């Protein structure tokens, strides 16, 4: 079987047979890959903890008909060890992993931007100098943008008229002007709209100035926007305080 190497983040694992696991990976060059790790559940496994969720690894894999096989694994960044001691950061990180898996839908299709966003988001989460909720919200907005669902915060998402605008509607793609407003649209505070734009742009000085009430309202709108654009709700999001 032909071999190939790639860099990856482990998104999810589940048991296969008595000693194996199927590992779901987001790779730099090959997008989402599902691969078998033979004997990984044995205490004598040479892979050890290198193939647990959150681990950033360098892999060698063998092409397979249905599933590839992992033949070598070297840890690059053990994100789990840095996040595991902080419940809030760990749960936010699990949302990032699930989001990456849900947004990268095609196997073996390059998704380099998604990979880089995930690695960068996990690094920011582990660094601890930014709030986990804000790191998560920024990651979600950027990942949705890369997937083709970029929200509009400074122009009307329907007619394109420059804002600021008052109304927010996930189904329409962001802020709406008074003319385009749909029933049921939310009316966030102007500071919340500014924060959403800063989270999308990565303008961290603006994010840092937002108060708790503004951050909470922004998080609720990000969650609503995410829920609209993924087919099913994220199970992991229920464990994150919004």
């Amino acid at each position: 079987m032909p071999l190939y190497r790639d860099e990856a983040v482990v998104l999810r694992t589940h048991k296969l047979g008595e000693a194996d696991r199927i590992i779901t990976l987001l790779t730099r060059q090959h997008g989402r890959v599902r691969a078998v790790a033979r004997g990984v559940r044995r205490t004598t496994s040479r892979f050890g903890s290198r193939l647990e969720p959150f681990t950033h690894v360098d892999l060698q894999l063998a092409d397979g008909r249905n599933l590839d096989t992992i033949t070598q694994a070297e840890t690059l960044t053990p994100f789990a060890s840095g996040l595991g001691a902080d419940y809030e950061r760990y749960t936010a990180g699990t949302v990032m992993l699930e989001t990456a898996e849900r947004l990268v839908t095609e196997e073996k299709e390059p998704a380099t931007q998604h990979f880089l966003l995930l690695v960068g988001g996990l690094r920011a989460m582990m660094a601890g100098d930014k709030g986990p909720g804000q790191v998560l919200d920024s990651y979600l907005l950027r990942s949705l943008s890369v997937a083709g669902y970029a929200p509009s915060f400074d122009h009307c998402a329907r007619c394109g008229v420059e804002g600021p605008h008052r109304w927010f509607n996930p189904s329409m793609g962001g802020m709406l002007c008074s003319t385009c407003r749909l029933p049921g649209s939310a009316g966030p505070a102007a500071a919340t709209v500014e924060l959403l734009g800063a989270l999308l742009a990565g303008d961290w000085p603006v994010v840092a100035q937002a108060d708790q009430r503004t951050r909470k309202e922004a998080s609720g709108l990000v969650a609503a926007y995410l829920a609209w654009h993924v087919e099913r709700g994220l199970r992991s999001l229920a464990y994150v305080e919004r």
Side-chain angles (χ1 to χ4, degrees):
M1 293 185 291
L3 300 176
Y4 66 95
R5 296 197 72 88
D6 209 341
E7 184 182 341
V9 174
V10 178
L11 302 180
R12 182 164 58 92
T13 73
H14 63 269
K15 295 177 181 179
L16 177 67
E18 294 184 357
D20 305 338
R21 276 201 179 108
I22 295 177
I23 314 294
T24 302
L25 305 156
L26 180 60
T27 70
R28 178 188 281 269
Q29 299 176 40
H30 297 83
R32 186 159 67 94
V33 172
R34 295 172 71 243
V36 176
R38 304 289 183 193
V40 73
R41 288 159 53 203
R42 296 193 181 103
T43 56
T44 57
S45 171
R46 67 184 185 279
F47 295 130
S49 61
R50 299 171 195 169
L51 297 176
E52 294 296 327
F54 288 108
T55 310
H56 178 205
V57 286
D58 178 73
L59 299 175
Q60 179 176 277
L61 303 100
D63 267 320
R65 180 177 297 178
N66 297 313
L67 294 170
D68 294 349
T69 301
I70 297 171
T71 58
Q72 293 180 12
E74 295 296 333
T75 302
L76 297 175
T77 315
F79 288 119
S81 63
L83 299 177
D86 187 310
Y87 179 79
E88 192 174 1
R89 294 184 186 280
Y90 181 84
T91 53
T94 62
V95 177
M96 296 167 70
L97 298 187
E98 187 178 358
T99 299
E101 184 176 4
R102 294 284 292 278
L103 291 180
V104 182
T105 57
E106 297 295 326
E107 293 194 14
K108 294 292 187 74
E109 289 293 326
T112 304
Q113 284 184 282
H114 279 291
F115 173 82
L116 295 175
L117 272 174
L118 181 58
V119 172
L122 291 173
R123 283 180 177 151
M125 193 71 75
M126 191 169 69
D129 57 338
K130 301 178 179 69
Q134 287 67 62
V135 173
L136 174 60
D137 287 339
S138 180
Y139 170 78
L140 294 176
L141 290 174
R142 293 184 186 192
S143 293
L144 286 162
S145 297
V146 170
Y149 308 121
S152 176
F153 298 125
D154 53 4
H155 292 76
C156 176
R158 191 172 189 181
C159 70
V161 171
E162 187 174 357
H165 298 301
R166 181 179 176 186
W167 308 105
F168 179 85
N169 192 297
S171 68
M172 295 304 299
M175 302 304 297
L176 298 174
C177 66
S178 297
T179 302
C180 296
R181 175 196 174 190
L182 297 179
S185 297
T192 302
V193 179
E194 182 183 15
L195 175 57
L196 289 168
L199 289 166
L200 178 60
D203 189 346
W204 293 105
V206 172
V207 173
Q209 293 173 6
D211 59 31
Q212 188 59 35
R213 182 176 180 179
T214 301
R215 292 178 180 181
K216 186 173 182 178
E217 185 176 37
S219 289
L221 295 179
V222 172
Y225 195 79
L226 176 69
W228 179 264
H229 290 288
V230 296
E231 293 182 0
R232 306 178 306 279
L234 299 183
R235 291 179 297 175
S236 55
L237 197 59
Y239 300 99
V240 176
E241 185 178 349
R242 307 296 284 172

